[in-house]
Amino acid sequence: MSSMVMGAESTDAKTKERTGVQSLERAFKLLETVASHPQGISLADLSKSVGLHNSTTFHLIRTMVSLGYVRQSPDTKKYHVGSMIFGLAAASRSESEMVALAMPILEELAELSGESSHLAIMTGNEIVIAGRVSGSGVFQMQERTGGVRPGHATALGKVLLAPLAMAQVDRYFEANPPTPLTAKTIVDPQRIREELRQTLSAGLAYDDGEFNDEARCVAAPVKDFTGQTIAAIGISAPIWRLTLQSLQEKSSLVLKASVKLSAELGGAP
């Protein structure tokens, strides 16, 4: 009798295991199908694509929505990839991997603009050059990878400080008091705050001879899937070549590069 009971329990366990594996296979198939439709997919089309009944698809996709792996648009009712997917992707990437993704974009930016391109990140209370590519023009600005840059006097620094809460900005400047580096360096706290507000509003920051009196720079934010600024990308060049008019024209190249890298990191296009 006991062997019959054990046999029945073993059969039940195997049945549950097969059912569980089947559910997983179906869930991943649903996720792959949703991911292949960036404009979203309806429940009916999703069911048809994976060959499941509407009710089966609905129960599986509802669970995936509740876990954050899929989201449903409240307007169209279509399904899209959820934030959890981007979160997992972002969490699995180290800073070195982000730099690796950025390098082809930095190379393209340097080629199109003719100027040195840079990627900066914020580590603790320091703004660090994480990657750079020299441009094709003569007299390129030299900034070594790993170099630390002041937040108040560089376009890259302004981009990284702009979205921070005021308390965070205050802590940064407590650790790095703004000092005059050139005749154009902004050191007044109110003017710095106004500069950061303008940067946040415009999505661009400029350095007009504030760090190096012979250089101009422009930078834009790189954002992750949450919309958080995680890096800054920009170009720098001698003032005599990067005139104010040229600076405005090349700002569009910097913006396109920031959007492209943001998309690589799961940010909204």
Side-chain angles (χ1 to χ4, degrees), residues 186-202:
I186 301 171
V187 295
D188 177 70
Q190 291 304 318
R191 286 190 61 198
I192 292 174
R193 286 186 171 83
E194 179 57 31
E195 191 81 3
L196 296 182
R197 281 192 290 269
Q198 290 177 5
T199 295
L200 189 61
S201 175

Side-chain angles (χ1 to χ4, degrees), residues 5-19:
V5 172
M6 290 177 64
E9 288 178 348
S10 177
T11 301
D12 288 344
K14 289 180 180 178
T15 300
K16 288 179 180 179
E17 183 179 350
R18 284 197 299 271
T19 301

Side-chain angles (χ1 to χ4, degrees), residues 184-238:
K184 289 187 175 181
T185 305
I186 301 171
V187 295
D188 177 70
Q190 291 304 318
R191 286 190 61 198
I192 292 174
R193 286 186 171 83
E194 179 57 31
E195 191 81 3
L196 296 182
R197 281 192 290 269
Q198 290 177 5
T199 295
L200 189 61
S201 175
L204 278 170
Y206 299 95
D207 159 18
D208 184 13
E210 298 160 44
F211 175 57
N212 180 332
D213 56 13
E214 296 181 354
R216 284 195 177 103
C217 311
V218 56
V222 176
K223 301 183 179 183
D224 65 9
F225 74 100
T226 68
Q228 180 181 356
T229 296
I230 56 174
I233 191 169
I235 59 171
S236 62

Side-chain angles (χ1 to χ4, degrees), residues 40-259:
I41 185 170
S42 67
L43 179 65
D45 289 339
L46 185 57
S47 298
K48 185 177 179 180
S49 295
V50 298
L52 294 175
H53 192 276
N54 275 8
S55 61
T56 303
T57 302
F58 174 74
H59 287 301
L60 286 170
I61 206 74
R62 182 175 62 179
T63 299
M64 295 168 75
V65 168
S66 70
L67 294 172
Y69 291 98
V70 174
R71 66 179 177 85
Q72 185 179 31
S73 169
D75 299 323
T76 65
K77 303 303 180 185
K78 290 184 176 181
Y79 294 98
H80 304 259
V81 171
S83 61
M84 276 296 295
I85 294 296
F86 297 120
L88 289 172
S92 69
R93 285 183 176 142
S94 65
E95 287 179 0
S96 62
E97 287 174 315
M98 179 175 70
V99 173
L101 286 172
M103 288 308 293
I105 297 172
L106 287 173
E107 290 169 358
E108 182 181 44
L109 178 57
E111 181 181 354
L112 293 175
S113 68
E115 308 299 351
S116 296
S117 61
H118 314 279
L119 181 79
I121 58 174
M122 195 162 185
T123 304
N125 278 323
E126 291 185 336
I127 290 161
V128 181
I129 303 296
R132 69 174 301 277
V133 173
S134 294
S136 57
V138 295
F139 299 110
Q140 290 292 313
M141 307 307 298
Q142 296 300 316
E143 292 189 86
R144 66 180 178 83
T145 299
V148 177
R149 293 293 174 263
H152 69 295
T154 60
L156 294 167
K158 293 173 188 177
V159 164
L160 292 170
L161 291 177
L164 299 182
M166 196 53 63
Q168 291 174 290
V169 174
D170 289 341
R171 282 197 296 272
Y172 172 83
F173 284 120
E174 284 174 9
N176 305 277
T179 56
L181 303 170
T182 73
K184 289 187 175 181
T185 305
I186 301 171
V187 295
D188 177 70
Q190 291 304 318
R191 286 190 61 198
I192 292 174
R193 286 186 171 83
E194 179 57 31
E195 191 81 3
L196 296 182
R197 281 192 290 269
Q198 290 177 5
T199 295
L200 189 61
S201 175
L204 278 170
Y206 299 95
D207 159 18
D208 184 13
E210 298 160 44
F211 175 57
N212 180 332
D213 56 13
E214 296 181 354
R216 284 195 177 103
C217 311
V218 56
V222 176
K223 301 183 179 183
D224 65 9
F225 74 100
T226 68
Q228 180 181 356
T229 296
I230 56 174
I233 191 169
I235 59 171
S236 62
I239 282 179
W240 57 266
R241 186 167 66 232
L242 194 59
T243 63
L244 291 177
Q245 180 180 350
S246 179
L247 185 66
Q248 293 294 328
E249 293 169 353
K250 292 184 178 182
S251 293
S252 62
L253 297 175
V254 173
L255 279 172
K256 288 177 182 176
S258 71
V259 170

